[in-house]
Amino acid sequence: MDHIRKWITDHKITEVECLIPDMTGNARGKIIPARKYLHEQGLRLPESIFFQTVTGEWPDDDSMVDPTEQDMQLEPDPATIRLVPWTKEPTAQVIHDCYNHHNQLVDIAPRSVLKNVLKLYAEKGWFAQVAPEVEFFLVKRNLDWDYPLEPPIGRNGRPETARQSFSIDAVNEFDPIFEDMYDYCDAQQLDVDTLIHESGAAQMEINFLHGEPLSRADQVFLFKRTMRETAHRHDVYATFMAKPMEQEPGSAMHIHQSLTDEHGRNLFSLDDGSNSPLFLNYIAGMQKYTPAGLAFFAPNVNSYRRLMLGDAAPTNVEWGLDNRTVGLRVPYSEPAARRVENRYAGSDANPYLAMAVSLACGYLGMTQQLTPTAMYVGDATQAPYSLPRTVEDSLQLLEQSDDLRAILGDRFVSAYVALKRKEYQTFFQVISSWEREFLLLNV
């Protein structure tokens, strides 16, 4: 707390945003005057904040949460204190961990799930590195949710219509937005790297430098919040929906993953540059457990539109060398940079849970010494579709995976399944425009 106290004093902070990433990956918490924050004898929030659906409802099965809504103790992570660069008054933001009355991490908090997986790695002398790539769309403000989304107006006064993959000029159409975005990211010391234009209309991708998984998850969490705020200030929306528009590709959060020992040596490569047995075990674990873990990579009803209908989205558990049609891509690299890219997660995924589950799948592959299938050569989209097709299918596989439940925590998995099942039920109650158009008078 001494570091935080000095930081708040040095930056003349007047307010503190106490942040907790929820199940969706959004910020919950409290905004407190800085003086009160420094003298508060422990902040508290009810554990039930992790048990609320994206629509603000509660699952029908609440047996895994205490009905008395017990409080959690919030503990700040000093490494996460940053300025909130868009506020008028000097404001700090700090990500907090959640502890129960026994001083144990609350097991249904997404940040706790990732920390527990990383602890398993550390016990083996393994240290994961990840580099996320997050795609998103800029869209016109949309005040009527029955009306389809549209690309925003750029500097030239016209909306983007053609696909402009890697176009510099297309990115420059939104220069004022991205100049502010980079300024905000710099102020928060977010390790954002390359910005590119993706294949969709006004679809962008931001890449992060590789680093320790908890810090990368924190940064994706903060970046999504930052990008939405930046877009609002320019009268447009930034959306991280997996498949926001019918005729446009989906948005992914690709996660590059590598493994080192305590000396920084890449364990995925042998001295001669070939793939290590541990690397092949890791890939095999991803192949075996990704279908059961897809509920975290594709957490929403809309997520499956990206996988089944989107461009460049994986449709099976094949792996290959520098092959973007597979779900597990191994880029060409020097031995020190040997890694695998998980292409399953949508940009709508909670970064803490997506990284935790991806690492859990690899961990199981390594500890069980699994063997992968033969490397796929050619267009893997021609191979049979082998992933769950709906949220319900994914949740059933997750429930049945004893190995993933053991790593992620039985209570957490039960809570997550109950929450997502309630969201799916709520969605299914909505009658779509397609049904009114084609079934109203024709059946």
Side-chain angles (χ1 to χ4, degrees):
M1 195 66 182
D2 289 342
H3 168 74
I4 291 177
R5 189 182 305 277
K6 183 178 186 304
W7 195 96
I8 287 176
T9 302
D10 290 347
H11 289 82
K12 298 179 171 58
I13 297 298
T14 60
E15 286 188 327
V16 179
E17 295 183 350
C18 310
L19 306 181
I20 303 293
D22 69 5
M23 283 290 197
T24 305
N26 288 326
R28 308 253 182 177
K30 297 181 178 182
I31 301 176
I32 301 177
R35 185 183 301 273
K36 180 176 174 61
Y37 179 80
L38 292 177
H39 291 88
E40 192 76 36
Q41 296 300 311
L43 298 174
R44 292 177 174 82
L45 280 176
E47 187 183 66
S48 57
I49 65 170
F50 298 118
F51 207 56
Q52 193 171 15
T53 71
V54 73
T55 61
E57 297 178 282
W58 309 97
D60 298 326
D61 178 10
D62 60 359
S63 59
M64 64 290 301
V65 176
D66 193 308
T68 62
E69 292 198 66
Q70 293 186 355
D71 273 346
M72 306 176 294
Q73 181 80 21
L74 307 188
E75 295 292 340
D77 182 339
T80 68
I81 190 166
R82 292 173 167 87
L83 286 171
V84 181
W86 51 80
T87 56
K88 292 181 180 179
E89 296 293 327
T91 302
Q93 55 185 331
V94 191
I95 299 174
H96 288 64
D97 285 310
C98 304
Y99 289 84
N100 60 25
H101 296 310
H102 304 291
N103 202 32
Q104 299 169 327
L105 284 171
V106 172
D107 55 358
I108 60 173
R111 204 168 190 261
S112 299
V113 175
L114 178 54
K115 291 182 84 168
N116 288 335
V117 171
L118 294 175
K119 183 179 178 182
L120 293 176
Y121 271 73
E123 289 171 353
K124 295 284 188 181
W126 298 334
F127 300 92
Q129 298 281 311
V130 299
E133 302 170 347
V134 183
E135 298 170 351
F136 60 94
F137 278 89
L138 298 176
V139 298
K140 283 185 182 179
R141 287 174 60 88
N142 182 287
L143 304 181
D144 182 351
W145 44 76
D146 280 335
Y147 194 76
L149 298 176
E150 297 180 21
I153 304 298
R155 290 188 310 174
N156 64 14
R158 304 173 66 183
E160 188 178 306
T161 54
R163 295 192 173 182
Q164 302 285 352
S165 299
F166 299 100
S167 170
I168 299 298
D169 291 339
V171 173
N172 290 342
E173 282 297 303
F174 305 103
D175 264 353
I177 297 177
F178 294 122
E179 286 172 0
D180 284 351
M181 179 206 77
Y182 272 114
D183 287 344
Y184 289 159
C185 288
D186 286 345
Q188 297 173 86
Q189 296 181 314
L190 302 184
D191 295 327
V192 294
D193 188 17
T194 308
L195 172 70
I196 65 171
H197 194 294
E198 265 292 344
S199 58
Q203 185 187 31
M204 310 294 168
E205 177 184 282
I206 194 79
N207 298 339
F208 290 78
L209 298 174
H210 75 276
E212 187 271 335
L214 185 63
S215 73
R216 296 309 93 168
D218 285 339
Q219 295 210 14
V220 173
F221 165 69
L222 294 173
F223 171 77
K224 291 172 79 170
R225 187 170 185 243
T226 299
M227 191 64 243
R228 290 193 194 99
E229 179 65 29
T230 308
H232 277 309
R233 290 172 179 269
H234 291 268
D235 205 33
V236 299
Y237 291 160
T239 179
F240 295 88
M241 280 180 65
K243 178 73 171 172
M245 289 183 272
E246 293 178 9
Q247 304 303 320
E248 300 296 339
S251 290
M253 179 175 64
H254 298 150
I255 307 171
H256 291 251
Q257 301 154 87
S258 59
L259 193 66
T260 68
D261 62 16
E262 59 183 357
H263 304 295
R265 183 174 65 90
N266 193 317
L267 298 177
F268 281 170
S269 178
L270 298 178
D271 292 338
D272 62 3
S274 61
N275 295 327
S276 70
L278 207 60
F279 185 46
L280 297 178
N281 296 153
Y282 192 99
I283 290 173
M286 290 291 301
Q287 287 188 308
K288 179 177 179 178
Y289 291 102
T290 285
L294 198 68
F296 300 99
F297 303 142
N300 304 301
V301 172
N302 179 261
S303 309
Y304 296 82
R305 300 187 192 279
R306 166 185 164 258
L307 293 173
M308 297 185 66
L309 304 173
D311 296 348
T315 58
N316 47 56
V317 294
E318 303 292 350
W319 73 285
L321 182 62
D322 204 30
N323 185 341
R324 284 184 169 82
T325 69
V326 298
L328 299 166
R329 171 177 170 259
V330 179
Y332 282 116
S333 68
E334 296 296 321
R338 186 64 39 81
R339 63 195 185 276
V340 60
E341 176 190 17
N342 174 350
R343 297 175 61 82
Y344 297 105
S347 61
D348 59 335
N350 181 321
Y352 298 94
L353 299 181
M355 292 181 192
V357 174
S358 196
L359 293 170
C361 293
Y363 178 87
L364 287 168
M366 293 186 293
T367 56
Q368 296 174 2
Q369 297 185 328
L370 301 180
T371 302
T373 62
M375 185 173 66
Y376 199 94
V377 178
D379 184 0
T381 62
Q382 303 304 309
Y385 190 96
S386 58
L387 299 175
R389 295 177 180 271
T390 67
V391 170
E392 182 58 34
D393 291 343
S394 293
L395 294 177
Q396 287 180 0
L397 286 179
L398 175 60
E399 283 183 304
Q400 297 163 6
S401 178
D402 293 337
D403 289 337
L404 275 182
R405 291 185 77 107
I407 287 186
L408 303 176
D410 191 67
R411 189 171 82 110
F412 165 73
V413 171
S414 295
Y416 186 84
V417 168
L419 188 149
K420 288 299 172 182
R421 195 159 272 153
K422 180 64 175 182
E423 289 180 353
Y424 186 67
Q425 179 187 25
T426 304
F427 163 80
F428 212 68
Q429 293 172 352
V430 177
I431 307 303
S432 70
S433 60
W434 185 93
E435 292 164 278
R436 290 190 292 271
E437 178 176 356
F438 295 106
L439 302 182
L440 183 67
L441 301 178
N442 296 324
V443 297

PDB file of all heavy atoms in Angstrom, residues 367-396:
ATOM      1  N   THR A 367       1.286 -32.204 -18.975  1.00  0.00           N
ATOM      2  CA  THR A 367       1.345 -33.094 -17.823  1.00  0.00           C
ATOM      3  C   THR A 367       0.852 -34.497 -18.159  1.00  0.00           C
ATOM      4  O   THR A 367       1.270 -35.475 -17.531  1.00  0.00           O
ATOM      5  CB  THR A 367       0.516 -32.519 -16.656  1.00  0.00           C
ATOM      6  OG1 THR A 367      -0.833 -32.283 -17.090  1.00  0.00           O
ATOM      7  CG2 THR A 367       1.132 -31.218 -16.153  1.00  0.00           C
ATOM      8  N   GLN A 368      -0.037 -34.604 -19.160  1.00  0.00           N
ATOM      9  CA  GLN A 368      -0.522 -35.919 -19.578  1.00  0.00           C
ATOM     10  C   GLN A 368       0.292 -36.486 -20.741  1.00  0.00           C
ATOM     11  O   GLN A 368       0.008 -37.592 -21.202  1.00  0.00           O
ATOM     12  CB  GLN A 368      -1.999 -35.822 -19.972  1.00  0.00           C
ATOM     13  CG  GLN A 368      -2.911 -35.442 -18.820  1.00  0.00           C
ATOM     14  CD  GLN A 368      -4.352 -35.199 -19.265  1.00  0.00           C
ATOM     15  OE1 GLN A 368      -4.697 -35.340 -20.445  1.00  0.00           O
ATOM     16  NE2 GLN A 368      -5.210 -34.838 -18.324  1.00  0.00           N
ATOM     17  N   GLN A 369       1.266 -35.701 -21.222  1.00  0.00           N
ATOM     18  CA  GLN A 369       2.162 -36.110 -22.319  1.00  0.00           C
ATOM     19  C   GLN A 369       1.357 -36.596 -23.532  1.00  0.00           C
ATOM     20  O   GLN A 369       1.595 -37.669 -24.077  1.00  0.00           O
ATOM     21  CB  GLN A 369       3.134 -37.185 -21.836  1.00  0.00           C
ATOM     22  CG  GLN A 369       4.070 -36.688 -20.740  1.00  0.00           C
ATOM     23  CD  GLN A 369       5.116 -37.719 -20.341  1.00  0.00           C
ATOM     24  OE1 GLN A 369       4.874 -38.936 -20.380  1.00  0.00           O
ATOM     25  NE2 GLN A 369       6.289 -37.258 -19.957  1.00  0.00           N
ATOM     26  N   LEU A 370       0.423 -35.754 -23.947  1.00  0.00           N
ATOM     27  CA  LEU A 370      -0.433 -36.089 -25.085  1.00  0.00           C
ATOM     28  C   LEU A 370       0.327 -35.905 -26.394  1.00  0.00           C
ATOM     29  O   LEU A 370       1.295 -35.139 -26.480  1.00  0.00           O
ATOM     30  CB  LEU A 370      -1.683 -35.207 -25.070  1.00  0.00           C
ATOM     31  CG  LEU A 370      -2.569 -35.305 -23.820  1.00  0.00           C
ATOM     32  CD1 LEU A 370      -3.774 -34.378 -23.956  1.00  0.00           C
ATOM     33  CD2 LEU A 370      -3.029 -36.746 -23.585  1.00  0.00           C
ATOM     34  N   THR A 371      -0.126 -36.605 -27.411  1.00  0.00           N
ATOM     35  CA  THR A 371       0.483 -36.533 -28.746  1.00  0.00           C
ATOM     36  C   THR A 371      -0.495 -35.880 -29.720  1.00  0.00           C
ATOM     37  O   THR A 371      -1.652 -36.309 -29.803  1.00  0.00           O
ATOM     38  CB  THR A 371       0.840 -37.939 -29.251  1.00  0.00           C
ATOM     39  OG1 THR A 371       1.741 -38.555 -28.326  1.00  0.00           O
ATOM     40  CG2 THR A 371       1.485 -37.874 -30.628  1.00  0.00           C
ATOM     41  N   PRO A 372      -0.055 -34.870 -30.474  1.00  0.00           N
ATOM     42  CA  PRO A 372      -0.978 -34.208 -31.407  1.00  0.00           C
ATOM     43  C   PRO A 372      -1.189 -35.028 -32.666  1.00  0.00           C
ATOM     44  O   PRO A 372      -0.449 -35.979 -32.952  1.00  0.00           O
ATOM     45  CB  PRO A 372      -0.255 -32.898 -31.720  1.00  0.00           C
ATOM     46  CG  PRO A 372       1.200 -33.249 -31.623  1.00  0.00           C
ATOM     47  CD  PRO A 372       1.283 -34.260 -30.489  1.00  0.00           C
ATOM     48  N   THR A 373      -2.182 -34.636 -33.421  1.00  0.00           N
ATOM     49  CA  THR A 373      -2.379 -35.214 -34.744  1.00  0.00           C
ATOM     50  C   THR A 373      -1.258 -34.732 -35.665  1.00  0.00           C
ATOM     51  O   THR A 373      -0.481 -33.836 -35.309  1.00  0.00           O
ATOM     52  CB  THR A 373      -3.733 -34.786 -35.325  1.00  0.00           C
ATOM     53  OG1 THR A 373      -3.742 -33.347 -35.463  1.00  0.00           O
ATOM     54  CG2 THR A 373      -4.888 -35.214 -34.425  1.00  0.00           C
ATOM     55  N   ALA A 374      -1.187 -35.296 -36.844  1.00  0.00           N
ATOM     56  CA  ALA A 374      -0.199 -34.837 -37.823  1.00  0.00           C
ATOM     57  C   ALA A 374      -0.491 -33.387 -38.207  1.00  0.00           C
ATOM     58  O   ALA A 374      -1.650 -32.963 -38.249  1.00  0.00           O
ATOM     59  CB  ALA A 374      -0.240 -35.728 -39.065  1.00  0.00           C
ATOM     60  N   MET A 375       0.571 -32.630 -38.442  1.00  0.00           N
ATOM     61  CA  MET A 375       0.413 -31.234 -38.830  1.00  0.00           C
ATOM     62  C   MET A 375      -0.417 -31.140 -40.112  1.00  0.00           C
ATOM     63  O   MET A 375      -0.193 -31.882 -41.073  1.00  0.00           O
ATOM     64  CB  MET A 375       1.786 -30.596 -39.046  1.00  0.00           C
ATOM     65  CG  MET A 375       1.735 -29.113 -39.331  1.00  0.00           C
ATOM     66  SD  MET A 375       3.386 -28.371 -39.388  1.00  0.00           S
ATOM     67  CE  MET A 375       4.071 -29.192 -40.848  1.00  0.00           C
ATOM     68  N   TYR A 376      -1.377 -30.231 -40.126  1.00  0.00           N
ATOM     69  CA  TYR A 376      -2.267 -30.092 -41.278  1.00  0.00           C
ATOM     70  C   TYR A 376      -1.591 -29.237 -42.343  1.00  0.00           C
ATOM     71  O   TYR A 376      -1.036 -28.175 -42.058  1.00  0.00           O
ATOM     72  CB  TYR A 376      -3.590 -29.452 -40.865  1.00  0.00           C
ATOM     73  CG  TYR A 376      -4.703 -29.678 -41.854  1.00  0.00           C
ATOM     74  CD1 TYR A 376      -5.591 -30.733 -41.700  1.00  0.00           C
ATOM     75  CD2 TYR A 376      -4.858 -28.846 -42.952  1.00  0.00           C
ATOM     76  CE1 TYR A 376      -6.622 -30.951 -42.604  1.00  0.00           C
ATOM     77  CE2 TYR A 376      -5.872 -29.051 -43.867  1.00  0.00           C
ATOM     78  CZ  TYR A 376      -6.755 -30.102 -43.685  1.00  0.00           C
ATOM     79  OH  TYR A 376      -7.769 -30.319 -44.602  1.00  0.00           O
ATOM     80  N   VAL A 377      -1.637 -29.706 -43.576  1.00  0.00           N
ATOM     81  CA  VAL A 377      -1.087 -28.974 -44.711  1.00  0.00           C
ATOM     82  C   VAL A 377      -2.230 -28.681 -45.681  1.00  0.00           C
ATOM     83  O   VAL A 377      -2.990 -29.583 -46.045  1.00  0.00           O
ATOM     84  CB  VAL A 377       0.012 -29.784 -45.423  1.00  0.00           C
ATOM     85  CG1 VAL A 377       0.539 -29.016 -46.623  1.00  0.00           C
ATOM     86  CG2 VAL A 377       1.150 -30.108 -44.457  1.00  0.00           C
ATOM     87  N   GLY A 378      -2.381 -27.424 -46.056  1.00  0.00           N
ATOM     88  CA  GLY A 378      -3.467 -27.070 -46.967  1.00  0.00           C
ATOM     89  C   GLY A 378      -4.548 -26.286 -46.262  1.00  0.00           C
ATOM     90  O   GLY A 378      -4.357 -25.746 -45.166  1.00  0.00           O
ATOM     91  N   ASP A 379      -5.705 -26.193 -46.917  1.00  0.00           N
ATOM     92  CA  ASP A 379      -6.821 -25.391 -46.439  1.00  0.00           C
ATOM     93  C   ASP A 379      -7.656 -26.192 -45.443  1.00  0.00           C
ATOM     94  O   ASP A 379      -8.442 -27.064 -45.811  1.00  0.00           O
ATOM     95  CB  ASP A 379      -7.689 -24.955 -47.629  1.00  0.00           C
ATOM     96  CG  ASP A 379      -8.826 -24.032 -47.222  1.00  0.00           C
ATOM     97  OD1 ASP A 379      -8.951 -23.731 -46.020  1.00  0.00           O
ATOM     98  OD2 ASP A 379      -9.592 -23.615 -48.102  1.00  0.00           O
ATOM     99  N   ALA A 380      -7.510 -25.869 -44.155  1.00  0.00           N
ATOM    100  CA  ALA A 380      -8.202 -26.628 -43.111  1.00  0.00           C
ATOM    101  C   ALA A 380      -9.688 -26.324 -43.050  1.00  0.00           C
ATOM    102  O   ALA A 380     -10.436 -27.040 -42.381  1.00  0.00           O
ATOM    103  CB  ALA A 380      -7.565 -26.348 -41.751  1.00  0.00           C
ATOM    104  N   THR A 381     -10.130 -25.273 -43.738  1.00  0.00           N
ATOM    105  CA  THR A 381     -11.568 -25.008 -43.748  1.00  0.00           C
ATOM    106  C   THR A 381     -12.328 -26.071 -44.525  1.00  0.00           C
ATOM    107  O   THR A 381     -13.559 -26.160 -44.419  1.00  0.00           O
ATOM    108  CB  THR A 381     -11.872 -23.625 -44.353  1.00  0.00           C
ATOM    109  OG1 THR A 381     -11.420 -23.588 -45.723  1.00  0.00           O
ATOM    110  CG2 THR A 381     -11.180 -22.522 -43.575  1.00  0.00           C
ATOM    111  N   GLN A 382     -11.601 -26.864 -45.294  1.00  0.00           N
ATOM    112  CA  GLN A 382     -12.241 -27.955 -46.027  1.00  0.00           C
ATOM    113  C   GLN A 382     -12.402 -29.203 -45.170  1.00  0.00           C
ATOM    114  O   GLN A 382     -13.095 -30.146 -45.564  1.00  0.00           O
ATOM    115  CB  GLN A 382     -11.410 -28.294 -47.279  1.00  0.00           C
ATOM    116  CG  GLN A 382     -11.198 -27.111 -48.220  1.00  0.00           C
ATOM    117  CD  GLN A 382     -12.501 -26.480 -48.659  1.00  0.00           C
ATOM    118  OE1 GLN A 382     -13.412 -27.175 -49.130  1.00  0.00           O
ATOM    119  NE2 GLN A 382     -12.605 -25.167 -48.506  1.00  0.00           N
ATOM    120  N   ALA A 383     -11.761 -29.224 -44.002  1.00  0.00           N
ATOM    121  CA  ALA A 383     -11.908 -30.355 -43.083  1.00  0.00           C
ATOM    122  C   ALA A 383     -13.246 -30.245 -42.362  1.00  0.00           C
ATOM    123  O   ALA A 383     -13.846 -29.161 -42.295  1.00  0.00           O
ATOM    124  CB  ALA A 383     -10.756 -30.357 -42.082  1.00  0.00           C
ATOM    125  N   PRO A 384     -13.754 -31.339 -41.820  1.00  0.00           N
ATOM    126  CA  PRO A 384     -15.066 -31.306 -41.160  1.00  0.00           C
ATOM    127  C   PRO A 384     -15.093 -30.338 -39.981  1.00  0.00           C
ATOM    128  O   PRO A 384     -14.104 -30.172 -39.271  1.00  0.00           O
ATOM    129  CB  PRO A 384     -15.258 -32.753 -40.681  1.00  0.00           C
ATOM    130  CG  PRO A 384     -14.370 -33.571 -41.562  1.00  0.00           C
ATOM    131  CD  PRO A 384     -13.192 -32.706 -41.870  1.00  0.00           C
ATOM    132  N   TYR A 385     -16.245 -29.701 -39.779  1.00  0.00           N
ATOM    133  CA  TYR A 385     -16.447 -28.818 -38.627  1.00  0.00           C
ATOM    134  C   TYR A 385     -16.485 -29.678 -37.369  1.00  0.00           C
ATOM    135  O   TYR A 385     -17.262 -30.630 -37.285  1.00  0.00           O
ATOM    136  CB  TYR A 385     -17.761 -28.043 -38.784  1.00  0.00           C
ATOM    137  CG  TYR A 385     -17.937 -26.923 -37.773  1.00  0.00           C
ATOM    138  CD1 TYR A 385     -17.601 -25.617 -38.103  1.00  0.00           C
ATOM    139  CD2 TYR A 385     -18.429 -27.172 -36.503  1.00  0.00           C
ATOM    140  CE1 TYR A 385     -17.751 -24.587 -37.187  1.00  0.00           C
ATOM    141  CE2 TYR A 385     -18.575 -26.154 -35.571  1.00  0.00           C
ATOM    142  CZ  TYR A 385     -18.239 -24.859 -35.919  1.00  0.00           C
ATOM    143  OH  TYR A 385     -18.388 -23.841 -35.006  1.00  0.00           O
ATOM    144  N   SER A 386     -15.645 -29.377 -36.391  1.00  0.00           N
ATOM    145  CA  SER A 386     -15.524 -30.264 -35.230  1.00  0.00           C
ATOM    146  C   SER A 386     -15.602 -29.516 -33.903  1.00  0.00           C
ATOM    147  O   SER A 386     -15.131 -30.018 -32.886  1.00  0.00           O
ATOM    148  CB  SER A 386     -14.210 -31.050 -35.306  1.00  0.00           C
ATOM    149  OG  SER A 386     -13.097 -30.182 -35.369  1.00  0.00           O
ATOM    150  N   LEU A 387     -16.196 -28.331 -33.904  1.00  0.00           N
ATOM    151  CA  LEU A 387     -16.356 -27.547 -32.685  1.00  0.00           C
ATOM    152  C   LEU A 387     -17.823 -27.525 -32.263  1.00  0.00           C
ATOM    153  O   LEU A 387     -18.708 -27.756 -33.087  1.00  0.00           O
ATOM    154  CB  LEU A 387     -15.871 -26.105 -32.912  1.00  0.00           C
ATOM    155  CG  LEU A 387     -14.407 -25.919 -33.305  1.00  0.00           C
ATOM    156  CD1 LEU A 387     -14.138 -24.450 -33.618  1.00  0.00           C
ATOM    157  CD2 LEU A 387     -13.482 -26.412 -32.196  1.00  0.00           C
ATOM    158  N   PRO A 388     -18.107 -27.232 -31.010  1.00  0.00           N
ATOM    159  CA  PRO A 388     -19.504 -27.036 -30.610  1.00  0.00           C
ATOM    160  C   PRO A 388     -20.139 -25.912 -31.440  1.00  0.00           C
ATOM    161  O   PRO A 388     -19.469 -24.936 -31.797  1.00  0.00           O
ATOM    162  CB  PRO A 388     -19.396 -26.637 -29.138  1.00  0.00           C
ATOM    163  CG  PRO A 388     -18.088 -27.187 -28.684  1.00  0.00           C
ATOM    164  CD  PRO A 388     -17.180 -27.110 -29.873  1.00  0.00           C
ATOM    165  N   ARG A 389     -21.407 -26.046 -31.723  1.00  0.00           N
ATOM    166  CA  ARG A 389     -22.089 -25.098 -32.607  1.00  0.00           C
ATOM    167  C   ARG A 389     -22.907 -24.056 -31.869  1.00  0.00           C
ATOM    168  O   ARG A 389     -23.335 -23.062 -32.461  1.00  0.00           O
ATOM    169  CB  ARG A 389     -22.992 -25.852 -33.583  1.00  0.00           C
ATOM    170  CG  ARG A 389     -22.219 -26.739 -34.551  1.00  0.00           C
ATOM    171  CD  ARG A 389     -23.148 -27.527 -35.473  1.00  0.00           C
ATOM    172  NE  ARG A 389     -22.390 -28.372 -36.395  1.00  0.00           N
ATOM    173  CZ  ARG A 389     -21.950 -27.989 -37.580  1.00  0.00           C
ATOM    174  NH1 ARG A 389     -22.193 -26.754 -37.998  1.00  0.00           N
ATOM    175  NH2 ARG A 389     -21.273 -28.811 -38.350  1.00  0.00           N
ATOM    176  N   THR A 390     -23.161 -24.257 -30.577  1.00  0.00           N
ATOM    177  CA  THR A 390     -23.955 -23.310 -29.800  1.00  0.00           C
ATOM    178  C   THR A 390     -23.375 -23.177 -28.401  1.00  0.00           C
ATOM    179  O   THR A 390     -22.549 -23.997 -27.967  1.00  0.00           O
ATOM    180  CB  THR A 390     -25.420 -23.770 -29.667  1.00  0.00           C
ATOM    181  OG1 THR A 390     -25.463 -24.961 -28.870  1.00  0.00           O
ATOM    182  CG2 THR A 390     -26.051 -24.042 -31.028  1.00  0.00           C
ATOM    183  N   VAL A 391     -23.849 -22.167 -27.682  1.00  0.00           N
ATOM    184  CA  VAL A 391     -23.460 -22.003 -26.290  1.00  0.00           C
ATOM    185  C   VAL A 391     -23.814 -23.244 -25.484  1.00  0.00           C
ATOM    186  O   VAL A 391     -23.001 -23.743 -24.686  1.00  0.00           O
ATOM    187  CB  VAL A 391     -24.153 -20.757 -25.685  1.00  0.00           C
ATOM    188  CG1 VAL A 391     -23.948 -20.719 -24.173  1.00  0.00           C
ATOM    189  CG2 VAL A 391     -23.625 -19.481 -26.311  1.00  0.00           C
ATOM    190  N   GLU A 392     -25.013 -23.775 -25.679  1.00  0.00           N
ATOM    191  CA  GLU A 392     -25.453 -24.928 -24.911  1.00  0.00           C
ATOM    192  C   GLU A 392     -24.576 -26.144 -25.165  1.00  0.00           C
ATOM    193  O   GLU A 392     -24.209 -26.871 -24.238  1.00  0.00           O
ATOM    194  CB  GLU A 392     -26.912 -25.258 -25.231  1.00  0.00           C
ATOM    195  CG  GLU A 392     -27.488 -26.427 -24.446  1.00  0.00           C
ATOM    196  CD  GLU A 392     -27.420 -26.240 -22.932  1.00  0.00           C
ATOM    197  OE1 GLU A 392     -27.558 -25.090 -22.462  1.00  0.00           O
ATOM    198  OE2 GLU A 392     -27.219 -27.243 -22.222  1.00  0.00           O
ATOM    199  N   ASP A 393     -24.201 -26.362 -26.429  1.00  0.00           N
ATOM    200  CA  ASP A 393     -23.296 -27.475 -26.742  1.00  0.00           C
ATOM    201  C   ASP A 393     -21.967 -27.318 -26.013  1.00  0.00           C
ATOM    202  O   ASP A 393     -21.415 -28.280 -25.459  1.00  0.00           O
ATOM    203  CB  ASP A 393     -23.045 -27.546 -28.251  1.00  0.00           C
ATOM    204  CG  ASP A 393     -24.280 -27.970 -29.038  1.00  0.00           C
ATOM    205  OD1 ASP A 393     -25.223 -28.506 -28.426  1.00  0.00           O
ATOM    206  OD2 ASP A 393     -24.292 -27.749 -30.262  1.00  0.00           O
ATOM    207  N   SER A 394     -21.435 -26.092 -25.995  1.00  0.00           N
ATOM    208  CA  SER A 394     -20.162 -25.838 -25.330  1.00  0.00           C
ATOM    209  C   SER A 394     -20.263 -26.061 -23.829  1.00  0.00           C
ATOM    210  O   SER A 394     -19.372 -26.655 -23.210  1.00  0.00           O
ATOM    211  CB  SER A 394     -19.698 -24.398 -25.594  1.00  0.00           C
ATOM    212  OG  SER A 394     -19.369 -24.208 -26.948  1.00  0.00           O
ATOM    213  N   LEU A 395     -21.352 -25.595 -23.242  1.00  0.00           N
ATOM    214  CA  LEU A 395     -21.515 -25.725 -21.797  1.00  0.00           C
ATOM    215  C   LEU A 395     -21.631 -27.188 -21.386  1.00  0.00           C
ATOM    216  O   LEU A 395     -21.110 -27.592 -20.335  1.00  0.00           O
ATOM    217  CB  LEU A 395     -22.738 -24.943 -21.331  1.00  0.00           C
ATOM    218  CG  LEU A 395     -22.646 -23.418 -21.493  1.00  0.00           C
ATOM    219  CD1 LEU A 395     -23.953 -22.763 -21.069  1.00  0.00           C
ATOM    220  CD2 LEU A 395     -21.481 -22.840 -20.698  1.00  0.00           C
ATOM    221  N   GLN A 396     -22.292 -27.992 -22.191  1.00  0.00           N
ATOM    222  CA  GLN A 396     -22.413 -29.420 -21.880  1.00  0.00           C
ATOM    223  C   GLN A 396     -21.049 -30.096 -21.891  1.00  0.00           C
ATOM    224  O   GLN A 396     -20.729 -30.898 -21.001  1.00  0.00           O
ATOM    225  CB  GLN A 396     -23.362 -30.093 -22.866  1.00  0.00           C
ATOM    226  CG  GLN A 396     -24.825 -29.742 -22.658  1.00  0.00           C
ATOM    227  CD  GLN A 396     -25.736 -30.434 -23.656  1.00  0.00           C
ATOM    228  OE1 GLN A 396     -25.286 -31.183 -24.520  1.00  0.00           O
ATOM    229  NE2 GLN A 396     -27.032 -30.172 -23.546  1.00  0.00           N
TER     230      GLN A 396
END
